[in-house]
Amino acid sequence: MDVVIVLDAGGSGQKLRLMKNTMRLVISSLNATDHLSIVAFSNGSKRLLQLKRMTRICQRFARRIV
């Protein structure tokens, strides 16, 4: 499965905490056959993680990004 997540980086407070918790859950639910890309937007967009296979190492890297 290929997953591209687009995040609204302009949030704060409770909404930001919920988004981070949800992202951690999504990342941990993916396995080594899945791919994930993360894009953030506020005034513009920025790719934080290009499409990567979610090995254990890449999962740790994706969690650090979040």
Side-chain angles (χ1 to χ4, degrees):
M1 170 172 50
D2 292 344
V3 179
V4 177
I5 297 178
V6 180
L7 305 172
D8 181 356
S12 62
Q14 181 65 19
K15 287 183 181 183
L16 184 59
R17 281 189 294 278
L18 286 172
M19 183 269 301
K20 287 181 177 184
N21 288 338
T22 303
M23 283 299 301
R24 289 183 190 109
L25 178 65
V26 168
I27 292 167
S28 63
S29 70
L30 298 174
N31 60 48
T33 61
D34 300 321
H35 297 83
L36 174 68
S37 178
I38 302 172
V39 177
F41 74 93
S42 185
N43 293 333
S45 63
K46 181 176 182 181
R47 183 176 59 190
L48 302 177
L49 178 70
Q50 75 183 105
L51 200 61
K52 295 275 187 187
R53 193 166 52 94
M54 285 291 102
T55 61
R56 294 270 183 222
I57 293 168
C58 286
Q59 282 180 332
R60 276 186 254 139
F61 182 68
R63 280 190 208 98
R64 275 188 249 133
I65 289 171
V66 171

